[in-house]
Amino acid sequence: MSQPFRLTQGGRIERDAPLQFTFDGRPIHAFRGDTVASALLANGVTLVGRSFKYHRPRGMVSAGAEDPNAFVQLGHGPRTLPNRLATVTAAASGLEVRHVNAWPSLDFDLMSAFGLAAPFIPAGFYYKTLMWPRRLWPLYEHFLRHAAGLGHAPNAPDPDRYDQVHAHCDVLVVGAGAAGLAAARAAEQSGARVIVADEQAEFGGGLLSTTERVDGLPAPQWADAATSELSSAPEVTALPNTTAFGLYESNLVLLAERLHTDQPDNAGSESGARVWRVLPKQIVLATGAHERPLLFANNDRPGVMLAGAISTYLNRYAVAPGSRAVLFTNNDAAYLTALDLADAGVPVAAIADVRSDPEGDLPAQARTRGIPIHAGAVVVQAHGRGRVAAAELCALDGAPLGTVECDLLGVSGGFAPALHLHAQAGAPMTWNPQIAAFAPRPSHDIHPAGAVTGQLDLASALRQGTSAGAAAAAAAGCSNGHTPAAPRAAETHTSDLEPYWLPPGDLARAKPQFVDLHEDVTLDDLRLSLREGFQSIEHVKRYTTLGMGPDQGKLANPLATGVIAQLLGRDPASVGTPRHRPAYSPVSLGAIAGRHIGPLADPVRVTPMQEWHQSAGARFENVGQWRRAWYYPHPGESMHEAVARECLAVRHRVGILDYSTLGKIEVTGPDAGEFLDRVYTNAWKRLRPGRCRYGLMLGEDGMIFDDGVTARLDAQRYLMFTSTSNAAPVLAWLEQWLQTEWTDLRVYLTSVSEHWSNIALAGPRSRDVLAAAGTDIPLAQKDFPFMTFREGHVAGVPARAFRISFSGELSYEINVPADRALHVWEALFDAGRPFGITPYGTETMHVLRAEKGFIIVGQETDGSVTPDDVGLGRLLSRRKDFLGKRSLSRPDSVRPDRKQLVGLLTDDPARVLPEGGHVVDTPGRRRPLPMRGHVTSSYFSPVLGRSIALAMVAGGRAALGERLYVATLHDDRWLPARSCHPVFYDPEGARQHV
Amino acid sequence: MLLIPCPWCGPREDDEFTFGGEADIPRPADPAALTDEQWADYLFMRDNRRGHHREQWCHTAGCRRWFIVERDTVTNEILGASIYGDSP
C-alpha cells in the first residue's frame, strides 16, 4: 500500500480522485482534498526539512499557516516558489515539491554537524565572532549564506502576469471557520455587502476537523451548507484560498488569492495569484487561535505535533500521523485529540496533564475509554533521533515517572488568539489570564469573533460570529430589521487551563528546548539575551531572531511571552509581544507588484517620429521616461565617428533634431506677465508679442531649478519651454504657487508638451531648407530675426517657428501639431537633401551646446548652483522680487570661493576628461586631497579638433588660465589642463544672428 | 494607506496625491526687508507637530488641485479637508 498511514474511512478527501506528485523526486500518492503535508504524512514521510541554523531534522508541527517547519520549494525554473508551506498547499497532480535546507540530501545532511556545535554557537555568535579578522567576512558570509537556507530564488524573470482587484464592501469577514461563517451569514441577512476570505481551500476551518454537530448536522456538513448558501447570495463574495495578509490605516486589507490551485499547469505556480485591495466599512476578525507548543528537551523532533493538528489530520484528511501516541497538555483540548486517536484506532499510551486534577467532560470521557492519564505530570524529554521514539515523563516536583514509547507526541499549551491583523493596525490588545495569552480588544470598526477572542468552544464561536456579523452590518449602515439567529451547538463543560512555561527545577536546564523552531531559538538563547541585558521583548527578538522567520513566529511569540515573564519573574502582560507586521504569511512579490512592472510601472514615452528614427538606424538613450534618438551611425561607424559627422554637418551645413520632448506650458490670463515676473529671475511684462526670451527659474533657496525659452504669443498668452526632464515638476511648482499663494492672480496653466512636436533645424543652411520645404513665413533676417517667433505654415501644416538656438548656429525650432509632425519632419528632410541635411541625436546636441558653454540643468547644476555660479548673474533683475531672490544675498550665496563654471582645455588635445572627475590644484598622494571642483561636461569637439570640458571650480572665474589637474579612474593618472572661458566656439555669438 | 478626502473628487487612496508639507506658511510680502535669520526661518524651519496638523496636499493624479488636510500625526486620523480661500 502506497499510503500506509491513510485511514480506511472518513475524512474529506475524495478517494475516487487519486493524484500523484513528487517530494525530492520521490512519488507521493494523494487524493484530491489533501494538502501536501497530509499526503506526505499519509505516505509515511515525517521528515520535511532541516532547521535553519543547526540543520536538525524537522517534521510537520501543525496543519495550517502557523507551521514553523514545513517550508518547501515548489516547481522549478522561473516559476518556482520558495517558502511555501506544505500544510496549506493543496496537493496537485504533477506538483514538484522539494525540501529547502539540507545538503547534500534531506536524510543525510552534512551540516547537521552544526547541531553538535550548538553549545558553541548561541544567539549573537555571528556578530561577536565572525567580525574578526574583518577581511575574512566575505568568506564567512559566503559560507553562512550557503548554510542558512530559505529556498532558492527563481533563475529567470517571472513569466506570469498578476492582477490586482480593488474592492469595497460593507463587511469584510476574515476567516471562514465557525465564527466567520456565522458572521458572514448574519451580515448578509442584515443586508450588507460582504466579502469573506479564508486561507484554506475550503471554507469551514475547525468545523472540518471536528466530530461535533451544528444545528443537528455533523459540523463539516453544516459548513458545506453555510458555504453554498453564502456562495449563492448575490451580495457575498466568497474567497477561499485567500489569505488576508495585511491590515493598514483606513482599514485597507490586502488579500492574496491563489487561483487554479488544482490545475496541473499551475501546480506549484502562483501564476493565478492576485492581490485584493479591500476597503471595507467594517471588519469581522474570525481568524481563530494557534495552539501553543510546550517546552521540553528535543521538543523539535519529527513526530512532536500540536494536538489540534493531529485531530485535523485524522478527521479531515483521514491520516494517522503516528501509530502510538503520547499527549502532553495543560488544558482540555488534548483530550479531544485523545478521543479522536482512540476512534481512529491509534493507541494513546499516556496523557501527561500539568493540572493536578483535570475535571470536565473531556477528561472524563478519556478516563472512561481507559486512556492512562497522568495528572500533575509533564513531558521533559523526547527520545529518538530522526523521529520521536519515546517520551520521558516527570511529576511537577521533578520525580521521574518513566519513559513511554511512542512515535507521535501531541502537545497543547493552550491557544493564543491569531490577532496578527488586529495588531498590525496598531489596535489595542489585552492580556487574558484565562487563556494566558493576548486577545484583541474590539474597536468601533473591528469586531473579533470566535477563538480569536479567547473563547474556544464551538457554541460560543457561533454565537459571537452571529452577533459580530449583525453588529458590523449595523455599524456599516445596513439594517433591515432582521435579527439573525445563531446556529446551535452542544455546550461543553471545559475546565481551565493552567499556564505552563518552564519545566520544573533543573529540568529547565535540559538541552535543547526550542522556543522558535524556525529560527532555532532555544530557551538558552532567551536566557542569554536576558542575562546580557536585552530584556524588552523587542530587544530579545533582535538579539535572538525570535519570530523573524517566514512563519513570523506564530507559534514562538505567544510561548516566548510566558517564558520570558517567568524567567524575569514578571507579569506576562507587561512583557508584551513583539510588534506584528505584514505579511501574515509569505506572499509572492509578483502578486504584490501586480501589473505595476515594466512599462506599466515606468512608461516609455516616444515622439511621433520614433519609427522614422528607428528605420534611420538611430541608437536610443533614455531621458527620464523618454526614448530619444542618441545618434544615427552609418554602417560601420563608431559612436565617436557618427557624432563627429553629425556635429560637423550642423556647423557647416544643416542638421535636423527631434526636440519634441521639451516641456511646453501655456501660461494664459491677464496676469500672465506678472506671474512670469515672479517665477523667473528676469523681466517679462514688457516682452513684446512675437518675441522670445531665455529665463531662469530658481527655488526659494536661490538655486537654479529650471531654464528655457519662453515666447509671448499675444498680450495674454505665453508659451514656456522647460527642460525635458523638468516638464512635470515645473508645472507642479507653478501650480502650487498659483493655487496656494497667489490665488488672486488670473493665470491658467496648460501643459501642451504632447500637443506640439518640436523639430529643430540647425546650421547655416537651415533657412534654405525651411524655404525649400514650403512656408508662408517670411524668413529674411530683417523679417524674422533671432529670438522671435512667427506663426504660419510649414509644408502645409499650421506651425509656430521659433528662431532660437541651442547650438549657436542659425536655427529654427518648428512646433507643429503632433499628429502632423512626422509629415513635416519628412518634408523638411526631403527638402534638405540637396543641402546635405543630417539627422542628429542628443549626443551631438550636447556637444554643440557645450562648445557654446550653454548649461544643462541637472548636468552643470545639481541643486546647489546659483545663477552667478554659472555666469548668468546678468539675468537677475534688480528692479523686482522673484522666487529665490532673497536667498542670493545669504552669506553662503556670495562666498567668493563658490564653485563657478569654467572651461577646461587639456594639455593633450586628444584626451577627453572623465565627466565627474575631481579637479585639484596639485596632484599627490595626500589624503584628503583638497578638491577644487569637478568636471560637469566633457566631449571631443570635432569643429575645434580637440577635447573640451566644462567644470565647476571653486573661485574659478577669477583665475581663468590657471593650471589644474583632473583625476581619472581608468589609469589612475592626473590629467593636466588649463581653465578658460566656458564658451569655446564663436564667443561673439555671430553665427546665430545671420 | 490614507484615505484622503479631496474636496473636489471625494475620498481617494493616498497614492493619487502629493504631500506638500505644513500649511499656513505665507511667503513674506517683502523678502528684502527680512534678516537672514527671518528668511531662513521661512525657508527651512517647520514645526513637525505631534497631533493636530494642517498640511498641504495636491490631488496629482486627479483634479490637480491643492487643498488643506487636517490630520492627527499620531493616529493618522484625517479630521477634515478644506480648499484655499475658505476660512479654516
Side-chain angles (χ1 to χ4, degrees):
Chain A
M1 182 180 165
S2 60
Q3 301 185 40
F5 291 86
R6 184 73 73 182
L7 302 176
T8 49
Q9 56 182 12
R12 290 175 63 78
I13 43 150
E14 299 174 34
R15 286 186 166 78
D16 54 355
L19 55 91
Q20 191 178 320
F21 64 91
T22 61
F23 179 65
D24 285 344
R26 156 183 174 191
I28 301 292
H29 300 275
F31 296 113
R32 193 191 295 157
D34 262 323
T35 61
V36 167
S38 67
L40 289 174
L41 289 170
N43 284 256
V45 178
T46 50
L47 176 62
V48 284
R50 292 273 173 173
S51 69
F52 189 59
K53 187 172 167 187
Y54 302 131
H55 289 251
R56 288 168 66 94
R58 292 289 167 79
M60 263 73 70
V61 171
S62 81
E66 69 271 38
D67 205 282
N69 288 342
F71 288 98
V72 291
Q73 181 106 18
L74 302 182
H76 65 275
R79 285 198 168 90
T80 189
L81 283 172
N83 288 327
R84 301 308 298 180
L85 271 177
T87 46
V88 296
T89 301
S93 185
L95 191 62
E96 283 177 41
V97 184
R98 286 190 310 278
H99 73 271
V100 293
N101 192 28
W103 185 84
S105 79
L106 189 53
D107 293 320
F108 177 71
D109 182 0
L110 282 177
M111 294 190 189
S112 58
F114 280 118
L116 301 176
F120 309 110
I121 45 177
F125 170 80
Y126 302 132
Y127 305 117
K128 289 175 178 172
T129 312
L130 299 185
M131 295 311 291
W132 186 91
R134 250 195 121 76
R135 67 193 158 78
L136 283 186
W137 172 248
L139 178 71
Y140 296 142
E141 191 184 20
H142 174 79
F143 179 68
L144 292 177
R145 292 260 180 263
H146 186 59
L150 282 171
H152 298 282
N155 58 8
D158 193 332
D160 295 324
R161 276 195 319 208
Y162 300 85
D163 277 323
Q164 294 198 339
V165 183
H166 291 252
H168 298 257
C169 61
D170 296 313
V171 179
L172 170 69
V173 180
V174 182
L181 286 174
R185 272 190 3 152
E188 189 272 329
Q189 287 168 11
S190 307
R193 278 190 310 155
V194 177
I195 295 178
V196 51
D198 192 281
E199 67 194 356
Q200 302 218 18
E202 290 182 286
F203 278 6
L207 291 171
L208 305 182
S209 39
T210 181
T211 49
E212 292 173 89
R213 300 174 84 82
V214 180
D215 277 351
L217 292 172
Q221 235 173 294
W222 182 85
D224 289 344
T227 302
S228 68
E229 184 189 318
L230 286 171
S231 304
S232 58
E235 294 296 340
V236 175
T237 305
L239 301 172
N241 275 316
T242 302
T243 305
F245 65 91
L247 173 56
Y248 301 84
E249 277 148 346
S250 308
N251 281 346
L252 170 72
V253 185
L254 297 192
L255 314 176
E257 181 184 14
R258 296 171 293 281
L259 298 163
H260 318 306
T261 48
D262 55 343
Q263 291 177 16
D265 286 352
N266 280 296
S269 119
E270 288 224 337
S271 59
R274 63 184 172 197
V275 163
W276 290 66
R277 297 170 57 88
V278 184
L279 273 173
K281 289 183 190 159
Q282 297 281 315
I283 297 172
V284 174
L285 271 191
T287 46
H290 295 141
E291 201 160 18
R292 210 163 24 208
L294 289 165
L295 287 188
F296 48 89
N298 296 322
N299 61 340
D300 64 326
R301 285 284 180 245
V304 177
M305 194 178 272
L306 296 171
I310 295 173
S311 288
T312 299
Y313 286 120
L314 289 168
N315 296 336
R316 179 167 173 185
Y317 300 108
V319 173
S323 48
R324 183 179 156 89
V326 166
L327 294 165
F328 174 23
T329 188
N330 65 348
N331 67 93
D332 277 4
Y335 290 90
L336 205 50
T337 302
L339 298 171
D340 289 337
L341 283 164
D343 287 345
V346 179
V348 179
I351 299 180
D353 193 327
V354 174
R355 301 172 295 180
S356 53
D357 183 20
E359 38 109 29
D361 297 344
L362 290 168
Q365 285 179 45
R367 231 172 255 124
T368 314
R369 300 281 286 268
I371 298 172
I373 299 174
H374 301 263
V378 294
V379 171
V380 293
Q381 181 164 0
H383 292 288
R385 287 192 62 82
R387 167 151 204 187
V388 172
E392 190 177 324
L393 272 56
C394 239
L396 276 174
D397 59 8
L401 293 173
T403 296
V404 184
E405 280 185 27
C406 62
D407 62 358
L408 182 62
L409 178 44
V411 296
S412 179
F415 289 81
L419 41 62
H420 303 72
L421 286 178
H422 186 81
Q424 281 172 18
M429 45 193 179
T430 41
W431 180 257
N432 179 340
Q434 211 159 9
I435 55 168
F438 287 99
R441 222 185 299 157
S443 66
H444 69 280
D445 49 11
I446 300 183
H447 309 262
V452 73
T453 66
Q455 291 280 347
L456 299 167
D457 65 294
L458 180 54
S460 300
L462 295 166
R463 264 197 307 274
Q464 287 182 338
T466 303
S467 59
C478 309
S479 191
N480 54 9
H482 183 91
T483 313
R488 278 185 314 276
E491 307 282 343
T492 45
H493 169 62
T494 56
S495 48
D496 288 344
L497 142 158
E498 184 166 321
Y500 174 80
W501 308 113
L502 290 179
D506 283 349
L507 294 168
R509 296 274 163 196
K511 290 174 187 180
Q513 314 199 28
F514 286 91
V515 179
D516 184 334
L517 271 71
H518 187 276
E519 295 293 286
D520 271 353
V521 176
T522 64
L523 179 55
D524 273 353
D525 291 328
L526 295 191
R527 278 202 192 91
L528 179 67
S529 172
L530 302 179
R531 195 164 66 232
E532 299 208 346
F534 300 97
Q535 301 194 344
S536 140
I537 187 92
E538 295 289 356
H539 289 157
V540 174
K541 169 183 171 176
R542 283 152 182 79
Y543 188 87
T544 63
T545 72
L546 171 79
M548 287 195 189
D551 62 331
Q552 295 256 325
K554 292 185 186 69
L555 297 181
N557 288 340
L559 175 61
T561 295
V563 170
I564 292 169
Q566 189 166 341
L567 289 172
L568 291 175
R570 277 169 50 186
D571 179 16
S574 71
V575 170
T577 178
R579 171 89 197 202
H580 294 80
R581 290 195 175 84
Y584 173 75
S585 330
V587 181
S588 92
L589 287 173
I592 291 174
R595 296 288 181 98
H596 297 280
I597 55 169
L600 292 181
D602 191 12
V604 175
R605 301 174 76 183
V606 297
T607 74
M609 285 75 95
Q610 170 74 6
E611 285 177 20
W612 192 97
H613 303 320
Q614 264 165 356
S615 51
R619 300 282 188 277
F620 291 88
E621 72 168 337
N622 293 327
V623 180
Q625 292 176 331
W626 289 100
R627 299 273 290 157
R628 293 196 65 183
W630 192 13
Y631 59 99
Y632 300 78
H634 287 172
E637 245 182 2
S638 69
M639 176 177 177
H640 180 76
E641 290 161 349
V643 170
R645 175 177 50 74
E646 292 172 17
C647 285
L648 293 173
V650 174
R651 291 284 178 228
H652 299 317
R653 296 187 302 278
V654 59
I656 184 167
L657 170 75
D658 180 0
Y659 215 165
S660 304
T661 61
L662 274 185
K664 305 167 204 81
I665 300 168
E666 268 202 25
V667 183
T668 56
D671 297 322
E674 169 64 23
F675 177 64
L676 292 179
D677 265 0
R678 296 186 190 183
V679 300
Y680 273 131
T681 62
N682 44 357
W684 291 85
K685 267 185 293 211
R686 259 175 279 161
L687 182 72
R688 289 200 307 278
R691 296 199 64 88
C692 309
R693 184 167 284 170
Y694 174 77
L696 269 184
M697 211 177 270
L698 312 184
E700 276 281 62
D701 57 1
M703 304 303 156
I704 293 175
F705 166 45
D706 200 48
D707 71 340
V709 168
T710 291
R712 188 166 195 175
L713 301 178
D714 60 41
Q716 297 195 0
R717 213 145 60 105
Y718 294 78
L719 179 64
M720 173 190 288
F721 289 96
T722 74
S723 56
T724 296
S725 52
N726 259 344
V730 167
L731 181 66
W733 168 251
L734 299 180
E735 281 286 3
Q736 186 170 9
W737 285 103
L738 272 182
Q739 291 184 32
T740 69
E741 193 73 32
W742 302 324
T743 52
D744 55 324
L745 289 187
R746 290 160 301 164
V747 177
Y748 307 93
L749 305 175
T750 311
S751 168
V752 293
S753 302
E754 307 271 356
H755 185 87
W756 294 99
S757 288
N758 187 13
I759 303 166
L761 283 177
R765 307 308 297 272
S766 51
R767 183 180 287 129
D768 301 325
V769 174
L770 187 49
T775 179
D776 50 5
I777 300 171
L779 297 178
Q781 163 73 7
K782 67 173 170 44
D783 299 320
F784 188 2
F786 187 55
M787 293 307 273
T788 63
F789 94 96
R790 297 288 180 264
E791 272 182 294
H793 293 77
V794 172
V797 175
R800 289 171 179 158
F802 300 81
R803 257 202 74 181
I804 53 183
S805 180
F806 199 38
S807 57
E809 297 296 330
L810 171 68
S811 172
Y812 299 88
E813 293 195 8
I814 301 157
N815 281 204
V816 289
D819 57 349
R820 310 291 296 279
L822 180 59
H823 163 75
V824 175
W825 173 276
E826 287 174 337
L828 287 167
F829 192 75
D830 287 343
R833 282 182 203 276
F835 305 97
I837 195 167
T838 301
Y840 68 100
T842 49
E843 187 66 16
T844 292
M845 179 190 83
H846 278 88
V847 176
L848 298 175
R849 67 89 206 175
E851 289 170 345
K852 289 292 297 175
F854 295 152
I855 62 159
I856 286 185
V857 169
Q859 186 152 347
E860 271 62 46
T861 72
D862 59 4
S864 70
V865 173
T866 67
D868 185 64
D869 294 344
V870 290
L872 294 175
R874 66 180 185 278
L875 293 180
L876 304 174
S877 169
R878 292 174 199 285
R879 264 173 258 160
K880 55 148 190 156
D881 187 31
F882 53 83
L883 293 181
K885 184 177 190 180
R886 177 64 183 81
S887 292
L888 297 175
S889 56
R890 292 171 62 228
D892 189 66
S893 306
V894 295
R895 275 188 295 115
D897 61 342
R898 289 185 65 84
K899 286 188 189 176
Q900 293 162 334
L901 183 70
V902 297
L904 288 182
L905 291 173
T906 48
D907 288 11
D908 176 356
R911 283 302 296 257
V912 179
L913 294 171
E915 286 184 354
H918 281 198
V919 177
V920 301
D921 288 320
T922 328
R925 302 192 65 84
R926 285 174 296 132
R927 300 287 185 274
L929 197 58
M931 176 186 160
R932 280 286 299 283
H934 61 281
V935 177
T936 58
S937 297
S938 179
Y939 307 94
F940 188 83
S941 164
V943 74
L944 299 171
R946 62 154 302 135
S947 76
I948 57 168
L950 297 173
M952 296 296 291
V953 173
R957 203 182 300 143
L960 288 186
E962 66 179 322
R963 158 71 63 208
L964 294 166
Y965 295 86
V966 175
T968 63
L969 271 181
H970 301 296
D971 46 9
D972 196 26
R973 274 181 47 199
W974 298 91
L975 290 181
R978 281 193 187 281
S979 72
C980 63
H981 190 268
V983 181
F984 300 95
Y985 184 68
D986 184 27
E988 311 79 38
R991 300 180 66 85
Q992 60 199 10
H993 284 282
V994 293
Chain B
M1 197 276 295
L2 293 176
L3 206 56
I4 296 175
C6 171
W8 311 98
C9 308
R12 301 294 170 112
E13 286 193 26
D14 58 16
D15 57 4
E16 294 185 14
F17 296 84
T18 307
F19 183 61
E22 189 178 332
D24 311 318
I25 300 177
R27 186 167 197 272
D30 184 8
L34 301 186
T35 64
D36 284 340
E37 286 70 27
Q38 288 168 324
W39 178 251
D41 185 59
Y42 155 72
L43 202 53
F44 300 120
M45 303 310 282
R46 298 294 180 267
D47 278 353
N48 194 22
R49 211 168 274 136
R50 180 183 166 85
H52 189 256
H53 191 236
R54 278 169 58 83
E55 56 200 23
Q56 312 178 87
W57 286 85
C58 180
H59 195 186
T60 325
C63 60
R64 288 181 31 217
R65 300 300 297 174
W66 283 92
F67 57 96
I68 294 173
V69 169
E70 291 175 54
R71 180 176 63 100
D72 188 313
T73 58
V74 178
T75 63
N76 259 346
E77 188 187 356
I78 295 196
L79 310 161
S82 52
I83 58 180
Y84 280 88
D86 283 9
S87 52

